[in-house]
Amino acid sequence: MNPPLSPARLTGITWNPSRGYLPLVATAQRFAEMHPAIEIVWHKRTLQEFAHSTIQLLAQRFDLLVIDHPFLGYAAAHPTLLALEQNLNPAYLAEQAAGAVGAS
């Protein structure tokens, strides 16, 4: 009998306050229930710690990033992050767009 496969592990980084961290942990837990082959582990940093790191360094260390608007311009101008449009199912993206508020 083969041993069970270990889940693939994705790591993410977000900011420290509960409003930034706890919803992601809860979502990761529910996602793991629905997709047991994938585990998502979230880490947190203070806003000050985010100010002293670059997107490149965070992207090298983590699979998922929650970033704030000051980083978006840099990310758009450099090949640091992957575009969702190139990496997710188009039907899923259309569903998300239909349920989004505004152009976010």
Side-chain angles (χ1 to χ4, degrees):
M1 178 175 195
N2 292 330
L5 295 175
S6 298
R9 175 179 273 196
L10 299 174
T11 59
I13 188 71
T14 187
W15 56 82
N16 191 27
S18 337
R19 66 186 172 88
Y21 179 70
L22 294 179
L24 295 172
V25 171
T27 302
Q29 179 181 0
R30 180 66 178 130
F31 185 86
E33 291 168 2
M34 297 172 67
H35 306 277
I38 303 171
E39 176 186 22
I40 301 173
V41 178
W42 284 98
H43 300 270
K44 55 188 175 178
R45 303 175 74 119
T46 66
L47 292 175
Q48 187 63 34
E49 288 171 316
F50 266 108
H52 293 293
S53 189
T54 65
I55 286 184
Q56 296 99 319
L57 292 175
L58 293 173
Q60 288 172 5
R61 184 167 172 212
F62 298 99
D63 303 299
L64 306 166
L65 306 176
V66 175
I67 59 175
D68 204 355
H69 63 87
F71 291 114
L72 294 179
Y74 181 89
H78 296 82
T80 303
L81 305 177
L82 298 174
L84 292 176
E85 295 83 5
Q86 297 170 8
N87 294 284
L88 294 178
N89 183 313
Y92 173 78
L93 291 172
E95 180 182 309
Q96 296 304 304
V101 176
S104 59

